[in-house]
Amino acid sequence: MATIEIDSHSGFCFGVTRAINKAEEELAKGGHLYCLGDIVHNASEVERLGDKGLVTITHEQLKQLHNVKVLLRAHGEPPSTYEIARRNNIEIIDATCPVVLKLQQRINNTYHSGSETSPQVVIYGKRGHAEVNGLVGQTDGNALVIENEDEIGKIDYSRDVFLYSQTTKSVQGLGQIVDQVGKRMQAGAELKSYDTICRAVANRIPQIREFARSHDLILFVCGNKSSNGKILFAECHDANPESHLISDETQLDASWLAGKERIGVCGATSTPMWLMHRVKEAAARMLASAGTHAVQGEKEDTKQ
């Protein structure tokens, strides 16, 4: 008898939940609501909110809008976005995650510290990612973005380095960057590194590894744009090679389920719980059609 269990620790993080709640509250009032970029890196959730009236726009489209409401998602935005909104009489519904907002303020304070030469701000993160764009914007576009150890040669080691991290990077990855940068600092220059990784993601790593190890098969549900999803899935797969990354139930393969007694369903901090339930139900149907009875996992959490 196979069991299918949804990881109770999976689902939206606080920042994403807050952004979606703000969107639904505004949509309930009626009228138009625009969102600058996908509200969350999950196509199914974007589609659900789109059906309720949320219109996703680009930064170029924002420049053409006037006298409307625009929601800023949890990733945050650079100061230039707020300036465009001010000029175009756009009402901002600001859903920037408090963790991201605090990081923006810290980088802004560092860069505009009043010294004669601008500090060398380095951000460990994914170039072009929405959150990173917002962080770089705090330095008038002058921060150096480092994606991996191969790029640390771009840093000027004769100057002080102020090193921050995108909130969804791995703690281990940041530690390696800090270690390698520290070894290259020249005499008279100082490395000042800050652990600015959100623990909503980092704290999930040991938990999701344990969840993966305790099941015969893992179905990891995640949008293909999710940075934290890629990190968490890599941890799942490392702990249990019988882990499969899918965006929704249509990508399930019945052959994965064959002979598996304990099946786990989990996801990123950008994966809605309702979507994981849909995957679980589809897997149960596949097992039923194959003549295998599936039962509900004891630890399942039905929260949204």
Side-chain angles (χ1 to χ4, degrees), residues 9-299:
H9 295 87
S10 288
F12 293 147
C13 65
F14 167 77
V16 172
T17 298
R18 180 171 172 269
I20 289 173
N21 287 343
K22 279 180 174 286
E24 292 184 321
E25 288 170 6
E26 286 299 321
L27 290 168
K29 297 176 184 177
H32 294 287
L33 179 62
Y34 297 91
C35 182
L36 187 54
D38 290 343
I39 190 169
V40 62
H41 286 157
N42 186 277
S44 298
E45 181 66 7
V46 170
E47 181 180 356
R48 183 185 75 84
L49 291 171
D51 290 341
K52 290 190 172 190
L54 186 65
V55 179
T56 302
I57 59 171
T58 66
H59 285 79
E60 284 303 310
Q61 290 171 319
L62 176 72
K63 297 174 184 177
Q64 309 305 317
L65 293 176
H66 295 78
N67 309 311
V68 296
K69 291 183 179 181
V70 175
L71 182 138
L72 302 186
R73 54 193 176 169
H75 301 92
E77 285 291 324
S80 57
T81 296
Y82 293 87
E83 177 57 25
I84 291 170
R86 186 192 65 78
R87 291 200 308 262
N88 292 4
N89 195 35
I90 293 172
E91 180 182 345
I92 290 293
I93 309 299
D94 201 336
T96 302
C97 174
V99 176
V100 175
L101 184 60
K102 182 178 179 180
L103 174 54
Q104 287 184 347
Q105 292 168 342
R106 290 179 68 178
I107 291 177
N108 189 292
N109 290 339
T110 295
Y111 188 74
H112 298 95
S113 59
S115 58
E116 292 184 7
T117 58
S118 298
Q120 184 178 202
V121 175
V122 178
I123 298 171
Y124 170 50
K126 182 180 179 181
R127 195 174 294 104
H129 186 279
E131 179 191 323
V132 174
N133 290 342
L135 300 178
V136 172
Q138 307 304 315
T139 67
D140 302 325
N142 293 315
L144 176 63
V145 179
I146 297 298
E147 293 196 359
N148 50 54
E149 289 185 44
D150 293 338
E151 298 185 352
I152 62 175
K154 301 176 182 178
I155 297 172
D156 181 355
Y157 292 102
S158 67
R159 298 174 57 203
D160 288 350
V161 174
F162 296 82
L163 177 61
Y164 293 90
S165 174
Q166 177 182 343
T167 62
T168 53
K169 299 298 285 184
S170 74
V171 174
Q172 180 182 14
L174 175 60
Q176 292 171 345
I177 293 290
V178 170
D179 180 62
Q180 293 302 313
V181 170
K183 291 177 180 178
R184 289 166 171 75
M185 297 301 298
Q186 296 180 15
E190 182 180 359
L191 168 62
K192 299 178 182 179
S193 62
Y194 307 93
D195 181 351
T196 51
I197 292 171
C198 176
R199 278 349 191 224
V201 176
N203 290 347
R204 282 206 57 212
I205 290 177
Q207 178 275 324
I208 208 164
R209 289 183 65 90
E210 178 59 30
F211 183 81
R213 283 192 293 264
S214 66
H215 292 82
D216 302 318
L217 171 70
I218 290 295
L219 302 174
F220 190 92
V221 190
C222 173
N224 57 18
K225 296 180 181 178
S226 175
S227 293
N228 79 82
K230 292 174 183 175
I231 292 170
L232 292 174
F233 174 69
E235 296 289 344
C236 267
H237 194 272
D238 181 63
N240 182 350
E242 285 293 318
S243 297
H244 298 275
L245 176 63
I246 58 175
S247 60
D248 58 38
E249 74 281 6
T250 66
Q251 297 181 340
L252 274 174
D253 187 329
S255 67
W256 300 341
L257 310 178
K260 301 298 191 296
E261 294 185 358
R262 296 169 299 169
I263 299 168
V265 180
C266 54
T269 60
S270 54
T271 304
M273 187 61 71
W274 64 261
L275 183 57
M276 285 181 278
H277 275 277
R278 212 157 71 182
V279 167
K280 176 190 171 180
E281 291 162 3
R285 288 194 297 270
M286 285 182 176
L287 289 171
S289 66
T292 304
H293 181 58
V295 297
Q296 176 176 305
E298 294 179 357
K299 298 180 183 178

